[in-house]
């Protein structure tokens, strides 16, 4: 309980994405990420990660004090931090259902109830000339790190309740998703979610292809309920 983690923010809101969309949840966002997605909606936990060190005991006490019984451990990338396992284990011991949100590039043994994995497609890479990355250092690192099939497979093998959530920008992304899923074992169509890229509620015409793909393949459409309810702002 004395181990510390860099925390960008904690807040209570409705889970906006995935199988537990709409469930009131206590969120803890770890500051720091091993990727740099061009469209990252939490740059304060990745591109410019800032956080205060807080102990596991302090965080669990805050979670216990609230009325909600679901916790979401997110980032940034929570799986790059060793003490995250102590945090999720202590949250479960306190009676909370725990979701971990990860890009799936790192495997470690962590207790959790729902492993929410969002593998990053080519559309996530920072563009050449991105002012946040003038030398292209992060563009190269991101490409090198964004998909690790072994780590993804271990996460799937260890966590029977999981989801694979893909941020999609256009129909061309499907070939990359199919290629990745073809290299992974043990997933079911109901584990796969497609989430249109963007930080505003999408125009239905723009996402009709996503709906059609989900209907044809038995995958799930992933809305961003929090954007619709609260807009794109911190603490929601
Ligand atoms: S993995 Fe997540 S937190 Fe990290 S840069 Fe990409 S979207 Fe942002």
């Amino acid at each position: 309980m004395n181990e510390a983690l860099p925390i960008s923010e904690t807040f209570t809101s409705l889970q906006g994405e995935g199988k537990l969309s709409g469930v009131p949840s206590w969120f803890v966002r770890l500051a720091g990420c091993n990727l740099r997605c061009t469209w990252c909606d939490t740059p304060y936990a990745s591109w410019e990660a800032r956080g205060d060190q807080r102990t596991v005991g302090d965080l669990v006490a805050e979670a216990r004090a609230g009325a909600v019984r679901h916790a979401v451990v997110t980032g940034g990338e929570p799986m790059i931090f060793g003490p995250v396992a102590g945090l999720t284990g202590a949250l479960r011991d306190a009676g909370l259902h725990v979701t971990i949100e990860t890009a799936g590039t790192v495997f470690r043994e962590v207790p959790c109830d729902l492993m929410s994995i969002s593998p990053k497609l080519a559309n996530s890479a920072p563009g050449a000339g991105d002012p946040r990355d003038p030398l292209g250092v992060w563009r190269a690192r991101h490409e090198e790190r964004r998909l690790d099939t072994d780590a993804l497979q271990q996460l799937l093998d260890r966590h029977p309740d999981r989801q694979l959530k893909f941020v999609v920008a256009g129909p061309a992304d499907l070939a990359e998703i199919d290629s990745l899923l073809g290299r992974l074992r043990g997933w079911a169509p109901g584990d796969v979610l497609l989430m249109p890229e963007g930080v505003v509620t999408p125009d239905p015409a723009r996402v009709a292809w996503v709906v059609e793909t989900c209907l044809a393949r038995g995958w799930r459409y992933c809305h961003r309920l929090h954007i619709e309810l609260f807009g794109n702002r911190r603490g929601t």
Side-chain angles (χ1 to χ4, degrees):
M1 297 291 251
N2 291 327
E3 287 184 304
L5 288 156
I7 303 300
S8 167
E9 59 183 348
T10 60
F11 56 93
T12 299
S13 186
L14 300 181
Q15 171 59 283
E17 304 172 2
K19 289 180 179 179
L20 296 179
S21 179
V23 173
S25 305
W26 177 77
F27 290 78
V28 52
R29 187 181 307 288
L30 277 66
C33 188
N34 59 342
L35 300 181
R36 293 292 185 273
C37 300
T38 184
W39 38 249
C40 180
D41 57 358
T42 55
Y44 51 91
S46 59
W47 285 95
E48 296 176 44
R50 287 191 211 101
D52 297 324
Q53 292 288 325
R54 292 184 61 185
T55 65
V56 168
D58 178 34
L59 293 164
V60 173
E62 180 182 316
R64 290 176 71 116
V68 306
R69 301 273 47 96
H70 282 69
V72 181
V73 178
T74 188
E77 175 51 78
M79 296 289 274
I80 62 176
F81 300 99
V84 75
L87 173 61
T88 60
L91 288 168
R92 288 180 96 199
D93 290 346
L96 281 90
H97 175 288
V98 174
T99 299
I100 295 179
E101 295 185 334
T102 175
T105 59
V106 175
F107 175 77
R108 68 174 66 247
E109 296 283 359
V110 280
C112 81
D113 299 285
L114 173 62
M115 182 58 75
S116 179
I117 312 164
S118 182
K120 298 301 182 260
L121 303 176
N123 68 37
S124 66
D130 188 318
R132 299 169 295 184
D133 182 33
L135 302 178
V137 172
W138 273 107
R139 179 178 168 80
R141 268 186 209 155
H142 183 94
E143 272 307 303
E144 186 183 305
R145 296 174 175 173
R146 69 181 171 84
L147 289 177
D148 183 324
T149 311
D150 291 339
L152 288 168
Q153 189 62 59
Q154 290 185 84
L155 290 168
L156 290 175
D157 291 344
R158 292 289 203 291
H159 298 282
D161 197 4
R162 65 289 182 91
Q163 56 191 12
L164 287 162
K165 193 170 60 177
F166 292 98
V167 175
V168 289
D173 291 334
L174 288 176
E176 190 179 5
I177 295 172
D178 285 338
S179 169
L180 178 61
L181 292 176
R183 284 176 274 142
L184 297 173
R185 303 177 306 280
W187 56 273
D191 294 331
V192 181
L193 294 85
L194 298 185
M195 182 165 70
E197 191 258 317
V199 290
V200 295
T201 300
D203 175 351
R206 188 171 71 79
V207 295
W209 72 273
V210 182
V211 175
E212 286 164 16
T213 302
C214 290
L215 290 172
R217 300 179 177 215
W219 296 353
R220 298 185 187 205
Y221 181 95
C222 186
H223 194 48
R224 296 184 201 241
L225 178 65
H226 56 303
I227 295 283
E228 189 165 301
L229 292 176
F230 310 116
N232 179 32
R233 58 186 177 84
R234 285 184 72 154
T236 59

